[in-house]
Amino acid sequence: MAPLHPHAGDPVFDLHVGGKMEIVSTVALHGPDELSLAYTPGVARVCEAIAADPSLTQHYTWVPNTVAIVTDGTAVLGLGDIGPAAAMPVMEGKAVLFKQFGGVDAVPICLDTTDVEEIIETVVRLAPSFGGINLEDISAPRCFEIEARLKERLDIPVFHDDQHGTAVVALAALTNALRLTGRDAATVRVVVQGAGAAGVAVARILLEAGVRDVAVLDRQGVLNSERHDLTEVKAALARDTADVFGRRGGLADVMAGADVYIGVSGGQVPEEIVASMAADSIIFGLANPTPEVHPDLAHKYARVVATGRSDFPNQINNVLAFPGIFRGAFDVHATAITEGMKVAAATALAELVGDDLREDLVIPSPFDPRVPGAVREAVAEAARRDGVARR
C-alpha cells in the first residue's frame, strides 16, 4: 500500500499534511432561519448599510480583526529566494502564531511576482478585505520601498515583520542588558553587522530609543557618507549613525572597545575581534541557524549573550512582538503602526522581566502568558498618544 504522503513517518511532514490552517465559521446554521440571517435575504441589509457608511465594516465584518500576510518568497527564513509556493508553509505558520499569541486572524498571500510595482498595486487592491498588512520575507532593498509606499497609500497598519519585529524584540533585550551591565543608552557604543531589512530597522529603533553611537556595517564595511556605493536607505542611515561619531573602516575598526554587538548578517566574527570589545560586553548573534558569534565563544568575553535560536537562553523571537502589536493596533482601529508604538512594545517586553533579570534572562519567553496582553495594552496606549487611533 502506498504511503499517505511522500514523507509519511517524518513528524515534521506529518504535522503539515493538509496545511496548518482552516476557516471556521463563527455562526451556527441549523435551519432556514439562521441561513436567512447569515446569507440572503438578511445579509443584504448589512451590505446596504456598509454601502451607505463604509466604516461599518469595522462592526459587521471580520475585516478589523484580520491581517494579510504578504510575501513574494524572496527572503524566506534562512532559505533565501525559494519562491511563493515554497513560502506557503512559513506563511501558514505565521498565521497560526498570530491566532495563538494575539487572537488575530491572518490569511497567507503568496504573490507570484517580485516586481515592486505589481506587489504594491496588488496589496492596495486587496486592502479593503483586511484590517492590516504584515509584509513577510521580502528581500531588501525592495522591502523598504514596498513598505514605505504602502504606508503612504493605505490607512491601515502596514508592518514588515522581518524589519520591525526583530527590532522591537532586540531593543527589549538590549534595554535589560544595558540595565544589567550598568550602561546608559545615550553613551553606549553599538555595532550592528548587517544592513538588510533587520539591520536597518534595528539601527533605526535604537536611535529612536536614545542610542547615539551606532555603527552599521554591510559586506563592504561601515556605512558612512564617504562611501559612494550606498543605496538611498543606507546613505540616510549612514548620516544618522557612523557619521555622527566619525566611525569608519571595517568590523575590526569599530568592534574595538564597543559595548554591544548585534549581528543580523549571517557572517562569522573572528575570535580576536570579539575579544577586542569592552569588558562586560553584550553580544546578540541573531543569524539562524548559525549565530555570527556562537554562544560558547561569546560567553568567553561577553556578560550577556542572545541568539535567534530556541535552544539557547535569551532567544530574540519575533513572536514576542508582532501578534501583540497588531492586536493593540486593531483594538483602537489604528491607521498606522508608529515608531512610538514599536518602542512602547519593546518597553513593555523589557518590563515583564522585572526583578527576574539576570544574564540568561533579559527577554521573556514567548510562552509567558503575560506577553500578548502587555504588548497589546502598550501599543494601544501609544497609538492614542501618537494620534493614529480611531477609537
Side-chain angles (χ1 to χ4, degrees):
M1 182 176 179
L4 297 177
H5 58 88
H7 299 277
D10 183 315
V12 172
F13 283 90
D14 287 346
L15 181 143
H16 282 78
V17 172
K20 300 190 289 287
M21 300 173 58
E22 65 178 353
I23 300 296
V24 178
S25 173
T26 61
V27 298
L29 300 179
H30 296 302
D33 291 341
E34 289 92 346
L35 183 60
S36 68
L37 293 174
Y39 200 54
T40 187
V43 73
R45 292 177 54 200
V46 182
C47 294
E48 290 172 336
I50 292 173
D53 180 3
S55 71
L56 293 180
T57 58
Q58 301 295 312
H59 299 284
Y60 300 122
T61 73
W62 81 335
V63 166
N65 192 58
T66 307
V67 60
I69 306 174
V70 179
T71 189
D72 62 359
T74 55
V76 181
L77 294 178
L79 304 174
D81 186 356
I82 60 174
M88 180 56 83
V90 177
M91 301 309 115
E92 286 186 2
K94 199 82 173 187
V96 170
L97 297 179
F98 264 112
K99 189 67 172 180
Q100 177 71 28
F101 294 102
V104 173
D105 292 311
V107 178
I109 298 175
C110 299
L111 300 179
D112 191 14
T113 178
T114 60
D115 182 84
V116 168
E117 299 299 330
E118 289 183 354
I119 292 172
I120 292 170
E121 292 304 320
T122 300
V123 174
V124 168
R125 282 158 176 72
L126 288 170
S129 298
F130 299 98
I133 306 295
N134 185 86
L135 300 173
E136 190 76 22
D137 294 346
I138 299 174
S139 62
R142 298 154 52 255
C143 61
F144 302 118
E145 180 181 359
I146 291 168
E147 183 190 37
R149 289 175 56 190
L150 285 174
K151 288 169 71 173
E152 289 175 356
R153 294 184 61 176
L154 299 178
D155 65 350
I156 58 176
V158 177
F159 186 83
H160 185 203
D161 186 53
D162 303 305
Q163 295 183 58
H164 309 300
T166 302
V168 166
V169 183
L171 174 59
L174 182 59
T175 298
N176 279 333
L178 294 180
R179 181 159 69 97
L180 190 64
T181 59
R183 291 180 166 94
D184 182 77
T187 56
V188 71
R189 273 191 58 202
V190 179
V191 173
V192 177
Q193 186 179 22
V200 171
V202 167
R204 285 293 178 196
I205 203 169
L206 294 183
L207 295 173
E208 187 72 21
V211 178
R212 299 174 59 241
D213 192 348
V214 182
V216 183
L217 297 95
D218 62 9
R219 290 184 179 87
Q220 283 68 50
V222 176
L223 305 187
N224 63 76
S225 294
E226 293 177 2
R227 289 177 52 182
H228 303 292
D229 60 339
L230 302 181
T231 64
E232 183 178 339
V233 170
K234 289 183 180 181
L237 187 59
R239 290 191 293 271
D240 294 334
T241 56
D243 284 2
V244 177
F245 286 86
R247 305 295 180 197
R248 300 289 182 270
L251 185 62
D253 298 302
V254 291
M255 282 283 273
D259 301 295
V260 179
Y261 168 83
I262 301 176
V264 281
S265 70
Q268 294 293 292
V269 182
E271 181 170 354
E272 60 270 21
I273 292 181
V274 177
S276 72
M277 295 180 69
D280 281 346
S281 61
I282 299 163
I283 295 178
F284 292 0
L286 305 186
N288 261 320
T290 306
E292 291 85 353
V293 184
H294 192 278
D296 292 343
L297 171 60
H299 280 298
K300 291 174 63 176
Y301 304 100
R303 184 171 174 191
V304 180
V305 177
T307 71
R309 288 172 44 161
S310 60
D311 54 344
F312 292 108
N314 297 327
Q315 183 191 20
I316 307 301
N317 191 330
N318 289 16
V319 76
L320 287 162
F322 67 82
I325 288 174
F326 269 97
R327 180 71 271 159
F330 283 176
D331 285 351
V332 296
H333 292 183
T335 58
I337 294 174
T338 65
E339 291 303 310
M341 292 160 74
K342 298 170 199 172
V343 172
T347 301
L349 285 171
E351 290 177 347
L352 284 179
V353 175
D355 294 336
D356 293 328
L357 178 63
R358 58 181 187 269
E359 283 79 358
D360 62 351
L361 183 58
V362 296
I363 193 74
S365 163
F367 294 98
D368 184 329
R370 303 172 298 164
V371 166
V375 174
R376 171 185 188 169
E377 292 174 11
V379 167
E381 182 180 347
R384 295 188 181 99
R385 188 166 58 246
D386 289 350
V388 296
R390 285 180 280 203
R391 72 175 186 188

